[in-house]
């Protein structure tokens, strides 16, 4: 796990059957499950990644500057390329490529539209917010 990462309440990062690598400034929010497939599918997560509440990330690769929506599922050997968004509740099937710069949504997840200019700042803003939130628990500085 890289620098400035956070793993939130009731999240599970279970690297018992293969490796899990997590880059810098990544947040794994409440209830997320990250797991692998024995001898077949490891997990690689890049920098500035936000994995929202109750998502399942299983045996896949998530590149830098990605948002994974609440309750979404990413399956084995899928690749979520940099600068993309997986919408809340989406199911990214095994071996799917989530193309860079696009939003994928639905069951199964499909490309729905490009990540607009107004949304591109969300990657860094969300990652930075979670770095700040984590300090509340070490410094006792709650800000609502």
């Amino acid at each position: 796990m890289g620098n400035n990462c956070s793993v939130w309440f009731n999240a599970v990062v279970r690297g018992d059957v293969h490796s899990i690598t997590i880059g810098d400034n990544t947040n794994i929010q409440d209830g997320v499950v990250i797991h692998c497939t024995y001898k077949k599918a490891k997990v690689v997560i890049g920098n500035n990644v936000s994995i929202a509440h109750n998502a399942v990330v299983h045996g896949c690769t998530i590149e830098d500057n990605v948002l994974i929506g609440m309750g979404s599922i990413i399956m084995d050997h899928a690749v979520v390329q940099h600068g993309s968004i997986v919408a809340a509740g989406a199911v990214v099937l095994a071996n799917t490529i989530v193309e860079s710069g696009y939003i994928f949504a639905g069951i199964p997840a499909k490309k729905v539209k490009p990540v607009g200019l107004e949304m591109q700042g969300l990657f860094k803003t969300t990652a930075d917010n979670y770095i700040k939130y984590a300090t509340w628990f070490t410094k006792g500085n709650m800000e609502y």
Side-chain angles (χ1 to χ4, degrees):
M1 184 175 285
N3 296 315
N4 298 314
C5 292
S6 57
V7 178
W8 291 86
F9 305 102
N10 298 315
V12 175
V13 181
R14 195 176 123 206
D16 57 338
V17 297
H18 213 314
S19 65
I20 297 173
T21 305
I22 301 169
D24 297 333
N25 307 321
T26 289
N27 59 87
I28 299 163
Q29 297 172 21
D30 311 66
V32 168
V33 174
I34 299 175
H35 195 237
C36 315
T37 299
Y38 182 61
K39 295 186 179 181
K40 292 184 181 179
K42 64 184 176 179
V43 174
V44 177
I45 300 171
N47 301 313
N48 300 311
V49 173
S50 294
I51 304 174
H53 316 292
N54 293 315
V56 175
V57 173
H58 201 280
C60 60
T61 298
I62 300 173
E63 295 181 353
D64 297 344
N65 301 308
V66 166
L67 296 175
I68 303 295
M70 290 184 280
S72 60
I73 300 171
I74 321 301
M75 291 304 300
D76 289 11
H77 303 290
V79 177
V80 181
Q81 294 180 336
H82 72 278
S84 58
I85 296 173
V86 175
V91 177
V92 177
L93 299 177
N95 303 304
T96 300
I97 305 296
V98 174
E99 294 176 52
S100 179
Y102 283 92
I103 299 171
F104 274 58
I107 302 173
K110 301 285 185 201
K111 180 170 46 174
V112 294
K113 67 179 185 176
V115 174
L117 290 175
E118 73 284 356
M119 298 177 78
Q120 289 178 5
L122 283 176
F123 305 116
K124 183 165 176 18
T125 300
T126 304
D128 288 348
N129 283 344
Y130 273 85
I131 292 168
K132 177 177 74 174
Y133 304 156
T135 67
W136 295 349
F137 295 90
T138 59
K139 297 179 182 171
N141 269 4
M142 295 291 218
E143 296 176 24
Y144 297 116

